[in-house]
Amino acid sequence: MNLSHPLSGVIARCRRLLDPALREAVSVLHPWGGRMAAFAMGWSDADGRSHGGDGGKSVRPAIAMLSAEAVGAPAESALPGAVAVELVHAFSLVHDDIIDHDERRRHREALWKAYGVGPALLAGDALLALAVSQLAGRPEAMKYLSAALIELVQGQTADMAFENRPWRGANEVTVEEYTEMAAGKTGGLLGASAAAGVALGGAPELADRMWDMGRDLGVAFQIVDDMLGIWGDPSVTGKPVHSDLRRDKKTFPVLAALATDGPAARELSAVLVDGITDERSARQAAHLVEEAGGRAAAQALADRYVASALNIMDECLPDATDLRALCDSLVNRVN
Amino acid sequence: MNLSHPLSGVIARCRRLLDPALREAVSVLHPWGGRMAAFAMGWSDADGRSHGGDGGKSVRPAIAMLSAEAVGAPAESALPGAVAVELVHAFSLVHDDIIDHDERRRHREALWKAYGVGPALLAGDALLALAVSQLAGRPEAMKYLSAALIELVQGQTADMAFENRPWRGANEVTVEEYTEMAAGKTGGLLGASAAAGVALGGAPELADRMWDMGRDLGVAFQIVDDMLGIWGDPSVTGKPVHSDLRRDKKTFPVLAALATDGPAARELSAVLVDGITDERSARQAAHLVEEAGGRAAAQALADRYVASALNIMDECLPDATDLRALCDSLVNRVN
């Protein structure tokens, strides 16, 4: 999201509430675990020195806190939920980077690259344990965090299983399978953020609808992520370019391009079957995905899912201006 | 534990309640995740074929269910807690084997060896997510599961950090540090089993004391595990012999042996400083640990911690015969 945007003030306000609570949650860890956690959260370098980094964009905690405000509660009421979803997000990035062998994250080394696979795995587990402890006594919010954890691992498992499936033919990955995977992998935690926010804010009756809202938003968010992985600027996203293409990740733009079945799709199919092994073939594939209409189809589907999410929000929380703007901004982000 | 023991009937009864509930919990997973989970639980081979295996000994679920019975509730009342602690146990073994590069578990390949590090890591996360979901709506029990998760990762982090510390000198690992690590790594989940059992059985006022009981029991259990790692029969334990010695794990018998500071301890110290690289030096070290009194000291401390655990139990649950016998058996086990 563009931080020169009017939303930057809203985000900054949420961050001022979040940061001390997040640091306090992490402070209980073993010193070594605490150093890894601080690195994973973007607060310090691998040698433990603070570098004034401000971590990620904290979209999920902001959704939790703005959801509480939208039902008339102070943002603080959602703080345990906000801390929990940010910790789960950090946990998932740490484990994802190990699973995907991604060496870079947020313009730095991935945690496993800096500390080793075993320690990083354990640091991820610690972040998850801390997340659960935030809501252990709050079943009305824990219910959604727990559901999000299951969705997350199910979505990640599906995503990983897709890598071993063919691009075309009887066992090809369908758009329906993709959206289910994205709703789980990315949508569950966004849904838990919003649902925990309204539940902790005193309106648990809205939580199921906000969960659905978050899952729709997650599909849109994941499609945009896929697009940034192909056409994004690595100096902005902080991720290596074309890594999804190189590892046969079944991203939506590619699936949509292949489904058009025109000349560009057939050429793309041949390139993918040969395997993307160098920058030249990756650039060629990216070009063919766009030529076949995969980029436009991805943008259109992302827009549709955002519209669906915003519809739910307009029904449940018609006056939630900041929350609405934040969710809307997630499909117009540059990193 | 010896299953020709009178306890075997008690364990079998708990297993009959546990198994269907555990299989139902795991059944929600993605097919691939489900196959890995079934392998990790000991139900099937790596190719997904059921081999009639009965998994582990299910000590923790039995503690949970017998604790509920001890407060006058049916064993079934503790079932969500029993399933949760067994899933957390399975999760911790899966991740531990990755962290420790252990290739064998329960006489078979470790999960990561059979499926790869990334998939196994994710399968472990899935088991943890399922565990949390069992108790998400039961804050009186979730409180202890959550505390156990934090204790578990803290203890594992400490254990891992110990490997990089010297055997002797200013930065040597103390007995106090060891017992704190063991209480966390092994005791937290035993404590959560007993505490969740009484809480779900309708006696939450006893849960804090049962948590303490489990932590003491855990220290004893870990010391016995350390002893089996040095003097146990690998054909019974299913673990490679002397792997703890080879990787400089700070196990209690070795720490106790070194602390005697006699001739055998000094010789042991020299062997350890040279590094245990082959079976000959491992056998020599094991012999010196025993000669220096490390084995006897370990048994004595394990006995003391079991006595302390049983004292708490006698105070809180004077009629809990089966539970008492089960906990007592944990220091007289052969695997």
Side-chain angles (χ1 to χ4, degrees):
Chain A
M1 134 200 22
N2 181 348
L3 285 187
S4 66
H5 196 275
L7 265 174
S8 59
V10 174
I11 292 278
R13 183 166 63 80
C14 290
R15 289 287 296 272
R16 275 195 299 276
L17 283 171
L18 177 71
D19 279 359
L22 204 49
R23 286 174 189 266
E24 196 196 323
V26 169
S27 70
V28 307
L29 292 180
H30 182 283
W32 191 25
R35 270 203 303 283
M36 286 192 279
F39 181 87
M41 305 301 296
W43 298 333
S44 68
D45 294 328
D47 57 11
R49 265 191 312 221
S50 167
H51 63 25
D54 60 357
K57 298 179 294 292
S58 305
V59 168
R60 292 158 195 81
I63 290 177
M65 291 191 269
L66 295 176
S67 295
E69 286 190 338
V71 297
E76 286 86 341
S77 61
L79 207 44
V83 170
V85 294
E86 187 70 349
L87 289 169
V88 170
H89 180 55
F91 141 80
S92 76
L93 298 183
V94 167
H95 280 194
D96 271 6
D97 287 343
I98 298 174
I99 292 167
D100 292 341
H101 304 283
D102 278 334
E103 301 188 354
R104 307 285 299 169
R105 166 71 63 186
R106 291 177 180 162
H107 309 283
R108 303 189 304 166
E109 281 188 309
L111 188 68
W112 70 268
K113 194 74 186 159
Y115 287 88
V117 168
L121 189 167
L122 194 47
D125 290 345
L127 293 169
L128 180 52
L130 292 176
V132 169
S133 77
Q134 299 301 309
L135 296 177
R138 308 295 297 265
E140 75 279 21
M142 187 68 207
K143 175 183 165 189
Y144 297 98
L145 189 77
S146 166
L149 287 176
I150 290 180
E151 293 278 314
L152 187 62
V153 295
Q154 300 275 64
Q156 285 173 318
T157 310
D159 197 25
M160 199 194 285
F162 288 173
E163 291 180 32
N164 300 317
R165 286 172 57 186
W167 280 107
R168 300 307 308 266
N171 197 27
E172 71 187 24
V173 176
T174 66
V175 168
E176 289 68 33
E177 287 178 303
Y178 173 91
T179 51
E180 194 188 325
M181 175 280 291
K185 187 175 90 158
T186 313
L189 196 54
L190 290 168
S193 304
V198 296
L200 294 169
E205 70 282 3
L206 294 177
D208 279 353
R209 292 290 285 150
M210 294 305 276
W211 166 262
D212 293 341
M213 187 283 295
R215 278 174 54 95
D216 282 346
L217 195 62
V219 176
F221 194 94
Q222 186 56 53
I223 293 172
V224 172
D225 229 44
D226 288 355
M227 293 169 71
L228 289 169
I230 303 176
W231 300 286
D233 178 352
S235 73
V236 178
T237 64
K239 295 172 207 161
V241 74
H242 295 153
S243 60
D244 287 349
L245 282 170
R246 285 167 186 262
R247 69 165 67 105
D248 274 353
K249 264 233 187 285
K250 301 300 180 292
T251 59
F252 185 79
V254 182
L255 293 176
L258 290 171
T260 62
D261 217 19
R266 283 191 291 275
E267 203 181 329
L268 173 63
S269 186
V271 172
L272 292 170
V273 167
D274 283 352
I276 310 283
T277 51
D278 56 14
E279 201 37 50
R280 202 195 54 79
S281 55
R283 268 202 307 271
Q284 191 194 359
H287 173 77
L288 288 166
V289 171
E290 183 154 11
E291 196 177 310
R295 185 174 189 167
Q299 188 63 56
L301 192 63
D303 290 343
R304 234 173 67 201
Y305 271 93
V306 169
S308 167
L310 294 180
N311 262 342
I312 299 176
M313 201 182 297
D314 291 342
E315 273 172 40
C316 297
L317 303 169
D319 303 321
T321 321
D322 287 346
L323 179 60
R324 195 183 200 287
L326 174 61
C327 293
D328 192 34
S329 75
L330 296 181
V331 282
N332 301 309
R333 64 205 166 93
V334 293
N335 63 3
Chain B
M1 131 200 25
N2 182 347
L3 286 186
S4 66
H5 194 277
L7 263 174
S8 58
V10 174
I11 292 277
R13 182 167 62 82
C14 290
R15 288 287 295 273
R16 277 195 297 276
L17 283 171
L18 176 71
D19 279 359
L22 204 49
R23 286 174 191 264
E24 195 196 323
V26 169
S27 71
V28 307
L29 292 179
H30 181 282
W32 190 25
R35 270 203 303 284
M36 287 192 279
F39 181 87
M41 305 301 295
W43 299 333
S44 67
D45 295 328
D47 57 11
R49 266 191 311 222
S50 168
H51 63 27
D54 61 355
K57 296 179 296 293
S58 307
V59 167
R60 294 159 195 80
I63 290 177
M65 290 191 270
L66 295 176
S67 295
E69 286 190 337
V71 297
E76 287 86 342
S77 62
L79 207 44
V83 171
V85 293
E86 188 70 349
L87 288 169
V88 169
H89 180 55
F91 141 80
S92 77
L93 299 183
V94 168
H95 280 195
D96 271 6
D97 287 342
I98 299 174
I99 292 167
D100 291 341
H101 303 284
D102 278 333
E103 301 188 352
R104 308 285 299 170
R105 164 74 61 189
R106 291 176 180 165
H107 308 283
R108 303 189 304 165
E109 282 189 306
L111 188 69
W112 70 268
K113 193 73 185 160
Y115 287 88
V117 167
L121 189 167
L122 194 48
D125 290 345
L127 294 169
L128 180 52
L130 291 177
V132 170
S133 77
Q134 300 301 309
L135 296 177
R138 307 295 298 264
E140 76 280 22
M142 187 70 208
K143 176 183 165 187
Y144 296 98
L145 188 77
S146 165
L149 286 175
I150 290 179
E151 292 279 314
L152 186 62
V153 295
Q154 299 275 64
Q156 285 173 319
T157 309
D159 197 25
M160 198 193 287
F162 288 172
E163 291 181 32
N164 300 317
R165 284 171 58 185
W167 281 106
R168 302 305 310 262
N171 198 27
E172 70 187 24
V173 176
T174 65
V175 168
E176 289 69 32
E177 286 179 304
Y178 173 91
T179 51
E180 194 189 324
M181 176 280 291
K185 189 175 88 158
T186 312
L189 195 55
L190 291 168
S193 304
V198 295
L200 293 169
E205 70 282 4
L206 295 177
D208 279 353
R209 292 291 284 151
M210 294 305 278
W211 166 262
D212 293 340
M213 187 283 294
R215 279 174 54 96
D216 281 347
L217 194 61
V219 176
F221 195 94
Q222 186 56 52
I223 292 172
V224 172
D225 229 45
D226 287 356
M227 294 169 71
L228 289 169
I230 302 177
W231 300 287
D233 178 352
S235 75
V236 178
T237 64
K239 294 172 207 162
V241 74
H242 296 153
S243 60
D244 288 349
L245 282 170
R246 284 166 187 264
R247 69 164 70 105
D248 275 353
K249 266 236 190 276
K250 301 300 180 292
T251 59
F252 185 79
V254 183
L255 293 175
L258 289 171
T260 61
D261 217 19
R266 282 192 293 274
E267 203 181 328
L268 173 63
S269 185
V271 172
L272 292 169
V273 167
D274 282 352
I276 309 283
T277 52
D278 56 15
E279 201 36 49
R280 202 195 54 79
S281 56
R283 269 202 305 272
Q284 191 193 359
H287 174 77
L288 289 166
V289 171
E290 185 153 11
E291 195 178 312
R295 186 173 189 168
Q299 188 63 57
L301 192 64
D303 289 343
R304 234 173 66 201
Y305 270 94
V306 169
S308 167
L310 294 181
N311 262 344
I312 299 177
M313 202 183 296
D314 291 341
E315 272 174 39
C316 298
L317 303 170
D319 303 320
T321 322
D322 288 344
L323 180 61
R324 196 184 198 287
L326 174 63
C327 293
D328 192 33
S329 75
L330 296 181
V331 283
N332 301 309
R333 63 205 166 96
V334 293
N335 63 3

